[in-house]
Amino acid sequence: MTARTTFCKLIERHGRVQIPVIQRDYAQGRADQHIVRDDFLKSLHDALCLPQDDPLLPLDLDFVYGSVVNGSFQPLDGQQRLTTLFLLHWYLAWVDGLSEDFRTRIVTAGLSRFSYEVRPSSRDFINAFASYVPDVSAADCQNLVSMITDQPWYFRSWRFDPTIRSVLSMLERMHEVFRKTSGLYIRLIDEATPAITFQLLDLEQFDLSDDLYIKMNARGKPLTSFETFKARFERHLESQFQGVPPDVCNGTPLADFFSHRIDTRWSDFFWPFRDKRTATFDDAIMNLLRTVIMVTRGPEAAATAVDLADLRATARASSYTWFQDRGWLDQDMIVALITLLERWSASPETFRCYLPDTRNLDEQALFKEIITRPTGLTFQQLAQLAGYTQYLVHSTGEIDPAAFNSWMRVVSNLATNTDYNRSEDLRRSFAGLRDLVPQMNGIFDHLAGPDGDVRGFFRDQVAEERIKAHLIGFGDGWSERIDRAERHTYFRGQIGFLLRCCGMDLSEVDAELVRLDAAAANDMAGPFDHYFACAAKMFDDLVNDPNVAGRLWERALLAVGNFLPLVGRNHSLLTTAQDEAWGWKRLLRNAASGGRPSQVLKELWDRLEGPATFADNLSTIIESASDIDPWRNAILTTPSVYEYGLYRMLRFADNGGVYILRKSQMNGRHAELFTYCLHENLRVESKPLALTISYHETTSTDEEPGLRLVKHFGGEEIKFNLSLAESRDGYELYLEEPEEPSDQLRAILEDEGFEDRDGWLTKDVVLTEMKPQVFSLAGALAQEA
């Protein structure tokens, strides 16, 4: 019943191959099947290019099922492969100038011996196409599809036939793959040493009813990318590990182990994570494969950074061909994949977790991201996953939850608090993690030792982890104390600023580890607890009650000193953003290294007594502030400045002006700090002001922003502007409208100290007199109105 054969032998034996009406359209050429198409064409190309005596030949395309009905062989399964082979014979015959040989084999009485009965249009197209011999060579043909559709035998209505569209798409791709080849048609039709064969199963003893076709073809879909991957990956596994399976396979041959598990236990594991629309989990598995490849790249390999960049790119779909061609299906990847699936599926629960809680890593949440959006994983998440995978792979037997938790605590702290800008940064972190494999079950002892440095991560965070590990080694509640601080949602494991307040110098970590003995650790406990209490309350308030309790902390800190970090050309009053240069988190990170921020924070916290009196202490600090910069005083007395800009940016300009920015550039809307503060104070002034006030923002450095004053006087509207003077040594209050003031108005303004300056009635005003001068002007105008 079964025989190995070729396409030409099949035609010769049966005379005619007919795709029956009940079959579906040709699908391998469809755009959404480009992965399956490209993989298949590559396999065909590689087989045809191999020497005739190569042991890998022939390429076997598995079974083709069918039987003879009304004198024609009708395939039950194999339609897609047979159609592609038909097209390949036509194309290679054209490339090699042997189209007449093709016609002799395939065309009889003007009709193709390979035909489609799915639609009349498909049948007519195949008949016309089989007899078509292009009048140009393949090498000279720039657009094969256009050439075919421009032929007089091609009907425009055929463009709506899905089989014909798919055929043209496949031919277009064949033209790209085989255009520059030669001699492959002879190899394709070689019957003595065939390059491509399939197993033909004639089901002549069965009556193939339409119902059987429908049942066999009910899916109406080609193989998914994972189904294709699985078949080829299992063959690939046969050549791995030189016949000795990894330990995780328990002695079973690797390919057999994978094949059995993926159809049983692992399928059960993936079922709860299936796509509810399609009831399949193929995409989930392909996404997991892609992610495991990412975290198992050799950190010392020169290509790793490029590999990571390509794998994180969303444009390229996952496929066996891509993975294999890039050399990514290596032993490290295979062992990691099998280990993870074995570990995760090792209990009746949907997903077995190995960490005692989610503080250092939420295993199941990360898994769900892996199987749904692998290219969206951040560098930090990939570094965490690399450490997680490394531990599970290199640990034998049952996992020790405590040791694993300590490991992931360090990995998560290092990854979360390292800046990643490109794949090369992640590669360096992979190298640092790989160095730590021998130390994974005693990570704290290693970090606290003289050789505890770790490469590939933010240096200050490494130093912080080493000091914390040393403190944890003393016992005396330090593990719980540090864990409590690290768990604060805003700090995310980075508490070097607390260690700095306690006198630790992270830049001299080796010396600090020598100096820090049990007595010193005991002396640190009290200050550490106090600073943490201050920091926890401060950042709880900044995040949860920013406009009231949080504002109190911001103003008190500004009253103590200038802590504003430089962000480009600006300084920022800071937001609660986690990963931006204008966020409090970045300030805390910088404070761990010392400098002005740590000094101001420590001074503020040192002036606080305890949580019960924090609010009173902060109010007292603000109210008692003296001898401080004018700009700081202006902000302290005008809290609405904090609400002005998206990033709370200040620009201390070269001309001496201080500007607050809506965003981050002076070519965007901005205001001058002191006139804006005056505007805000006048808006809530309890004393009536007989002027209408508004603020004029500008979007250019050519025009000064300022306070606008408007009043109806003498039957007309008069407008004044108060802004920074061109000399920058004070402010100017000038009459903006009308340009020609009445004699009465001129007299009043001259009495108020205005003078004619370049055609404008103008008065110089010093910073401290701006508000009194506005009230004086309002009063003078009110008396004469």
Side-chain angles (χ1 to χ4, degrees):
M1 288 172 54
T2 304
R4 174 177 285 183
T5 189
T6 65
F7 180 81
C8 286
K9 280 186 178 180
L10 177 66
I11 296 291
E12 181 182 345
R13 173 178 175 180
H14 291 289
R16 184 174 177 83
V17 174
Q18 184 184 74
I19 308 301
V21 173
I22 200 65
Q23 281 280 24
R24 59 192 173 98
D25 293 296
Y26 179 52
Q28 277 191 350
R30 291 193 319 221
D32 61 348
Q33 296 304 315
H34 65 93
I35 294 175
V36 175
R37 178 197 65 201
D38 290 353
D39 284 351
F40 190 34
L41 287 181
K42 183 178 188 303
S43 297
L44 296 174
H45 177 274
D46 292 350
L48 290 169
C49 292
L50 288 173
Q52 293 183 9
D53 58 352
D54 193 290
L56 295 176
L57 293 179
L59 172 66
D60 187 80
L61 302 184
D62 297 328
F63 287 96
V64 171
Y65 301 90
S67 64
V68 177
V69 177
N70 297 325
S72 298
F73 178 81
Q74 293 188 348
L76 174 63
D77 183 63
Q79 166 203 358
Q80 305 295 323
R81 285 165 288 159
L82 289 175
T83 305
T84 299
L85 288 175
F86 163 74
L87 297 175
L88 185 62
H89 279 73
W90 180 93
Y91 181 84
L92 291 180
W94 173 46
V95 169
D96 289 343
L98 296 172
S99 293
E100 286 302 323
D101 181 84
F102 171 81
R103 287 207 298 182
T104 300
R105 295 171 182 272
I106 302 298
V107 179
T108 300
L111 298 178
S112 174
R113 298 169 71 183
F114 177 85
S115 67
Y116 259 74
E117 299 300 319
V118 177
R119 287 183 175 85
S121 55
S122 301
R123 179 194 60 219
D124 294 344
F125 171 80
I126 292 295
N127 281 329
F129 173 75
S131 298
Y132 171 54
V133 179
D135 54 8
V136 298
S137 68
D140 295 332
C141 177
Q142 298 302 315
N143 191 321
L144 176 57
V145 172
S146 294
M147 184 177 71
I148 293 173
T149 56
D150 285 343
Q151 297 306 307
W153 51 263
Y154 182 88
F155 293 91
R156 291 185 62 195
S157 60
W158 287 354
R159 67 184 186 275
F160 300 112
D161 185 314
T163 288
I164 297 174
R165 289 202 306 268
S166 187
V167 164
L168 293 175
S169 177
M170 175 61 82
L171 287 169
E172 182 178 40
R173 183 60 178 147
M174 282 184 179
H175 197 47
E176 296 173 0
V177 175
F178 292 94
R179 178 181 177 182
K180 297 181 179 180
T181 63
S182 63
L184 297 191
Y185 179 70
I186 297 300
R187 283 294 296 126
L188 186 59
I189 63 174
D190 185 348
E191 296 181 3
T193 55
I196 298 168
T197 62
F198 50 85
Q199 304 293 322
L200 179 65
L201 182 59
D202 265 339
L203 303 178
E204 295 181 2
Q205 68 271 46
F206 295 102
D207 180 13
L208 299 184
S209 66
D210 286 357
D211 287 343
L212 183 56
Y213 276 113
I214 292 171
K215 289 176 182 177
M216 289 292 291
N217 228 6
R219 290 175 56 196
K221 299 178 182 177
L223 293 177
T224 66
S225 57
F226 175 67
E227 288 169 334
T228 303
F229 178 91
K230 175 177 175 290
R232 302 181 68 182
F233 187 54
E234 288 173 1
R235 294 178 194 162
H236 171 72
L237 293 179
E238 294 174 357
S239 64
Q240 297 298 303
F241 299 95
Q242 291 77 47
V244 180
D247 293 340
V248 71
C249 295
N250 299 318
T252 303
L254 181 59
D256 294 343
F257 184 85
F258 180 88
S259 178
H260 177 70
R261 279 291 203 258
I262 199 66
D263 289 333
T264 54
R265 173 168 149 177
W266 296 346
S267 288
D268 292 342
F269 165 72
F270 272 106
W271 182 247
F273 304 102
R274 67 191 181 280
D275 185 325
K276 297 301 189 292
R277 295 175 294 105
T278 63
T280 64
F281 44 77
D282 295 28
D283 288 344
I285 298 180
M286 291 304 293
N287 289 338
L288 174 62
L289 287 164
R290 187 174 189 143
T291 308
V292 173
I293 288 172
M294 282 192 249
V295 299
T296 55
R297 295 307 84 218
E300 306 301 340
T304 291
V306 174
D307 289 344
L308 289 171
D310 290 348
L311 286 161
R312 294 185 76 240
T314 58
R316 186 71 181 263
S318 300
S319 70
Y320 176 87
T321 300
W322 185 36
F323 293 167
Q324 175 68 357
D325 286 351
R326 296 291 290 269
W328 293 335
L329 302 179
D330 52 26
Q331 293 189 4
D332 286 345
M333 177 270 173
I334 294 167
V335 171
L337 175 68
I338 294 176
T339 300
L340 289 173
L341 289 174
E342 283 293 279
R343 298 282 193 187
W344 289 336
S345 63
S347 68
E349 293 87 11
T350 301
F351 182 97
R352 179 172 180 183
C353 295
Y354 290 87
L355 293 169
D357 50 53
T358 60
R359 286 178 295 176
N360 297 311
L361 183 70
D362 189 332
E363 297 168 79
Q364 189 161 350
L366 180 58
F367 173 73
K368 289 179 179 178
E369 288 199 63
I370 290 169
I371 64 175
T372 55
R373 44 180 296 274
T375 59
L377 294 172
T378 65
F379 285 125
Q380 285 83 359
Q381 287 177 307
L382 289 171
Q384 286 177 293
L385 180 61
Y388 176 87
T389 302
Q390 179 174 297
Y391 192 95
L392 293 182
V393 167
H394 290 279
S395 297
T396 57
E398 285 298 312
I399 299 298
D400 180 351
F404 192 18
N405 198 45
S406 296
W407 166 253
M408 286 309 304
R409 178 178 181 171
V410 171
V411 171
S412 293
N413 286 347
L414 291 174
T416 301
N417 297 296
T418 292
D419 289 335
Y420 294 96
N421 298 309
R422 54 201 179 105
S423 297
E424 175 62 21
D425 300 332
L426 182 60
R427 184 202 64 77
R428 285 196 287 263
S429 289
F430 285 177
L433 292 173
R434 185 70 62 91
D435 293 343
L436 294 176
V437 168
Q439 318 298 336
M440 292 188 304
N441 283 312
I443 189 62
F444 288 159
D445 290 341
H446 174 70
L447 291 174
D451 299 321
D453 193 23
V454 182
R455 60 173 173 153
F457 294 95
F458 178 49
R459 303 309 306 154
D460 285 358
Q461 192 64 38
V462 173
E464 176 186 324
E465 296 306 314
R466 297 186 66 194
I467 290 176
K468 289 187 296 190
H470 192 48
L471 288 169
I472 289 171
F474 291 120
D476 196 26
W478 271 109
S479 179
E480 296 77 9
R481 183 176 287 116
I482 291 172
D483 184 60
R484 209 163 36 243
E486 287 183 347
R487 274 190 288 152
H488 191 281
T489 54
Y490 194 75
F491 304 153
R492 298 193 306 180
Q494 190 171 59
I495 59 171
F497 64 96
L498 296 177
L499 299 175
R500 186 77 190 194
C501 287
C502 293
M504 293 285 102
D505 185 352
L506 300 185
S507 66
E508 299 292 339
V509 60
D510 291 318
E512 292 289 20
L513 291 174
V514 173
R515 182 187 67 82
L516 187 58
D517 56 16
N522 184 64
D523 291 341
M524 272 182 61
F528 184 94
D529 290 341
H530 172 74
Y531 292 129
F532 173 61
C534 295
K537 177 60 175 170
M538 177 176 174
F539 285 93
D540 284 343
D541 289 344
L542 285 169
V543 172
N544 301 320
D545 188 14
N547 296 324
V548 181
R551 187 75 75 245
L552 202 61
W553 285 98
E554 290 174 320
R555 294 169 65 209
L557 192 63
L558 191 61
V560 170
N562 176 13
F563 63 90
L564 272 58
L566 183 65
V567 183
R569 298 179 61 188
N570 305 322
H571 289 76
S572 177
L573 289 167
L574 302 179
T575 72
T576 53
Q578 280 277 1
D579 302 312
E580 305 295 349
W582 52 83
W584 282 102
K585 186 72 162 61
R586 186 58 59 94
L587 180 88
L588 296 180
R589 173 175 172 163
N590 294 338
S593 303
R596 185 62 177 161
S598 65
Q599 295 170 11
V600 177
L601 279 172
K602 185 176 185 303
E603 184 177 345
L604 173 64
W605 294 340
D606 283 343
R607 292 168 67 175
L608 303 181
E609 298 171 4
T613 61
F614 279 170
D616 291 339
N617 296 157
L618 295 171
S619 296
T620 299
I621 291 170
I622 296 169
E623 293 165 2
S624 62
S626 60
D627 297 327
I628 64 175
D629 303 312
W631 66 268
R632 288 166 54 206
N633 187 64
I635 296 173
L636 288 179
T637 56
T638 316
S640 58
V641 169
Y642 286 97
E643 302 171 17
Y644 180 82
L646 182 62
Y647 310 122
R648 297 183 174 182
M649 296 293 189
L650 278 74
R651 175 73 63 87
F652 293 88
D654 296 338
N655 61 20
V658 183
Y659 300 92
I660 50 178
L661 314 180
R662 286 291 184 189
K663 290 189 177 178
S664 60
Q665 300 289 338
M666 290 289 283
N667 59 8
R669 289 190 298 155
H670 61 275
E672 193 274 330
L673 175 64
F674 296 102
T675 52
Y676 181 81
C677 289
L678 175 59
H679 170 264
E680 293 297 287
N681 289 324
L682 291 175
R683 283 199 310 114
V684 297
E685 176 65 45
S686 58
K687 181 180 177 181
L689 179 66
L691 293 170
T692 301
I693 64 168
S694 64
Y695 197 84
H696 174 63
E697 298 173 307
T698 61
T699 57
S700 168
T701 55
D702 295 331
E703 181 185 7
E704 280 294 330
L707 177 67
R708 291 282 175 83
L709 308 168
V710 179
K711 184 175 179 60
H712 285 279
F713 182 89
E716 63 180 344
E717 186 176 77
I718 60 175
K719 297 181 181 179
F720 295 88
N721 189 76
L722 176 62
S723 58
L724 190 65
E726 290 186 10
S727 62
R728 307 303 188 236
D729 57 359
Y731 291 81
E732 291 180 335
L733 178 61
Y734 62 91
L735 178 66
E736 191 172 11
E737 293 181 14
E739 294 184 8
E740 296 294 334
S742 66
D743 292 341
Q744 182 188 14
L745 178 57
R746 179 179 288 274
I748 293 172
L749 296 182
E750 288 176 350
D751 287 345
E752 283 294 307
F754 284 74
E755 60 183 18
D756 198 315
R757 188 178 302 164
D758 297 326
W760 302 90
L761 284 173
T762 305
K763 179 180 182 178
D764 292 328
V765 181
V766 298
L767 175 62
T768 55
E769 291 295 316
M770 285 199 300
K771 185 174 181 179
Q773 290 293 339
V774 169
F775 271 99
S776 176
L777 174 62
L781 293 172
Q783 291 177 6
E784 301 295 334

